[in-house]
Amino acid sequence: MTQHASPQAIIGRVLALDVARATEAAAMAAARFVGRGDERAADRAASLAMRQVLAATPMRGTVAVGADPDPAEGLFCAGEPVGTGEGPEVDVAIAPLEGATICATGAPNAMACLAFAPRDGLLRVPPLYMDKIAVGPDVPPDVVSLDQSPADNVRAVSRARGVDVSALTVCVLDRPRNEELVEALRETGCRLMLILDGDVSGALAAGLPENGVDMYMGSGGAAEGVLAAAGLRCLGGTLQGRLLLRTPAERALVREFGFPGEADRLLGMDDFVPGEAVFAATGVTDGTLLRGVRFTADGVCSQTMILKSCSGTRRVIDSRHARVGARISGD
C-alpha cells in the first residue's frame, strides 16, 4: 500500500528552504545596522528584505503573529496575506529582527526568525506582555507551572534533572518588571543568565541543553511567546504562558481582540501550537544559538537554523552569499 505524506510533512519539505531564505535576507539587511544606534532603521531593513522573499514564496500564508500596524515602516501586520497565493495554506509568525535594541548596540543574540504551521495552527495574541516559563525535552511538561513559585519550579527541575539547584542556569530577560523574579531566583542558589533582549532566543536555548540553559522564566512579548513555542514544539520542549493584564485598558484590548477563552488563563503548548510547525532563524549578531552575519571582501556569511517538528530534524546551515554586482545573492 502506498504511504502518503501528511500535509504537515509536505508543508515542511516544500517551504523549509524558502523560510530559511527569508530569515537570511532579513538578517543580512539588519546586519548592516549593527552598532549604529538606529533600531527603527534596522527593523525596517529586515522587514522589507523578508517581505520581498516571502512575496515570492509558494504559499497561501496569513500573518498570525506580526508587528503592530505601521505601513510606513513596511512591518508585517497580523492578518495580512503573504506568499504567491498558490501552494499550502499556512499561518506565519514573523519577527524580521528579534532584538532590535541589541542589533542597534551590537550586543549578542539578535536574529531574524519566523515560524509557520498549517492554517489555524498558531495562536493569535494581542500586543501585550506575557509571563513565560520554558524547559527543554529532558524535563517532563508537567514538572513546571506558572501557578508555582519560581523557587518551586527551580526545585522541580532540579529533581527532574537529578542535579543540585546550584548546577541549574535560568535565563531571564533583564527588565525592571522581572526584578522580583530575579531576586527570588537568586535566593534559590541557581545560576542566572540575564539577557538584554531577544527572549525568543532565550526560551529556545532552554530547548537545546548543549547551550547550558536549563530554564527560561519571566515576562516578555506575547508574540515572541508564540514564536518560541513553535521552536520548542520542534525541539520537544515546553513553554507555558499567561497574558499580563495590568490595567482595565489591557483587559478591554483582549476582549476586542477576540482572544479565545479566559483572558488570564494558563496557556500550554496545545494552545500556542496545537499541531506541527516549522521554525527558522538566522543570526544577526553572535549569540547563544547562532553566529551572526559576517561581511567579507567578496560576499556575506550567515548561519541559519531550521527546525521541523514532524521529523524532529534540526539543521544548521552555514551559507556564503556571493556578491553579484552590488547585490548580495540570496540563493
Side-chain angles (χ1 to χ4, degrees):
M1 181 181 294
T2 302
Q3 296 294 319
H4 296 285
S6 68
Q8 292 87 348
I10 293 172
I11 288 172
R13 284 202 298 265
V14 171
L15 295 180
L17 288 180
D18 288 303
V19 168
R21 292 187 185 99
T23 59
E24 285 174 349
M28 290 189 291
R32 296 189 178 277
F33 294 87
V34 168
R36 291 171 59 181
D38 194 338
E39 297 178 27
R40 292 186 65 186
D43 205 7
R44 184 172 185 273
S47 297
L48 292 175
M50 183 175 280
R51 182 179 291 278
Q52 184 175 15
V53 175
L54 289 182
T57 299
M59 64 180 179
R60 289 175 287 166
T62 301
V63 177
V65 177
D68 293 337
D70 190 351
E73 293 296 314
L75 303 182
F76 292 91
C77 305
E80 75 168 275
V82 289
T84 62
E86 299 179 351
E89 293 187 73
V90 295
D91 277 358
V92 189
I94 296 179
L97 181 54
E98 218 293 279
T101 300
I102 50 182
C103 175
T105 60
N109 286 323
M111 64 183 188
C113 57
L114 61 81
F116 64 89
R119 182 60 50 86
D120 298 324
L122 295 173
L123 179 67
R124 287 157 169 78
V125 292
L128 294 172
Y129 287 118
M130 173 182 284
D131 270 332
K132 308 169 198 173
I133 184 169
V135 291
D138 56 344
V139 177
D142 58 351
V143 164
V144 298
S145 173
L146 287 175
D147 289 332
Q148 298 177 165
S149 70
D152 285 342
N153 280 315
V154 169
R155 286 191 288 265
V157 172
S158 170
R159 290 191 296 269
R161 296 282 307 279
V163 299
D164 190 76
V165 166
S166 62
L168 297 180
T169 298
V170 182
C171 181
V172 181
L173 193 62
D174 191 6
R175 291 287 188 276
R177 63 180 180 269
N178 286 327
E179 287 178 354
E180 290 186 11
L181 169 63
V182 168
E183 290 305 313
L185 290 171
R186 283 175 173 159
E187 289 179 3
T188 70
C190 72
R191 303 190 302 171
L192 290 180
M193 177 188 292
L194 299 179
I195 57 175
L196 299 175
D197 205 345
D199 60 337
V200 173
S201 64
L204 286 179
L208 297 165
E210 64 267 29
N211 287 310
V213 174
D214 300 284
M215 302 173 65
Y216 174 84
M217 296 179 70
S219 67
E224 287 77 7
V226 178
L227 273 160
L232 286 167
R233 170 69 80 189
C234 300
L235 294 170
T238 301
L239 184 141
Q240 289 183 7
R242 177 180 281 126
L243 291 176
L244 276 175
L245 305 174
R246 300 162 295 183
T247 66
E250 289 178 338
R251 289 187 176 275
L253 176 61
V254 173
R255 289 195 297 271
E256 294 169 7
F257 188 84
F259 187 73
E262 295 296 324
D264 57 355
R265 66 190 174 96
L266 184 64
L267 301 166
M269 291 296 288
D270 289 339
D271 297 296
F272 287 111
V273 192
E276 303 294 347
V278 175
F279 177 92
T282 302
V284 176
T285 59
D286 286 347
T288 306
L289 300 180
L290 295 161
R291 296 184 67 187
V293 170
R294 283 165 167 74
F295 294 95
T296 67
D298 59 351
V300 181
C301 297
S302 66
Q303 188 173 69
T304 299
M305 178 172 62
I306 305 174
L307 307 174
K308 295 167 61 177
S309 66
C310 62
S311 61
T313 303
R314 170 162 55 112
R315 288 188 174 90
V316 177
I317 302 173
D318 289 293
S319 300
R320 179 183 171 279
H321 310 268
R323 292 184 184 274
V324 181
R327 180 177 63 84
I328 298 295
S329 170
D331 294 330

